Amino acid sequence: MRENLGVHETLELHELVTFKSLCLTKAAVMQGLVTDENLKTIMQQNADMHTRHIQQLQNHLS
C-alpha cells in the first residue's frame, strides 16, 4: 500500500510509529505490575490497540 507521501508526511508517520511504540512498551510493562484483573484487561486492550495502530501506520510506510 505504498502511497506518494511527501518527506514531511513520512517523517510524521515515523514520529507516530515511535510514539505508539513507546505507548505499547509502557502498557506492556505496567500491565505486569497491575494486580486488578479488570485493569489488566483494559491495559491488554490498550496494548492491542497500539499494536493495530502501529501495523496500520507501517502499512502506509512500506
Side-chain angles (χ1 to χ4, degrees), residues 10-22:
T10 303
L11 288 174
E12 291 204 17
L13 282 175
H14 280 287
E15 286 179 21
L16 284 170
V17 169
T18 301
F19 175 72
K20 284 294 186 175
S21 295
L22 177 63

Side-chain angles (χ1 to χ4, degrees), residues 17-31:
V17 169
T18 301
F19 175 72
K20 284 294 186 175
S21 295
L22 177 63
C23 292
L24 176 59
T25 301
K26 184 177 178 181
V29 169
M30 295 303 288
Q31 187 178 355

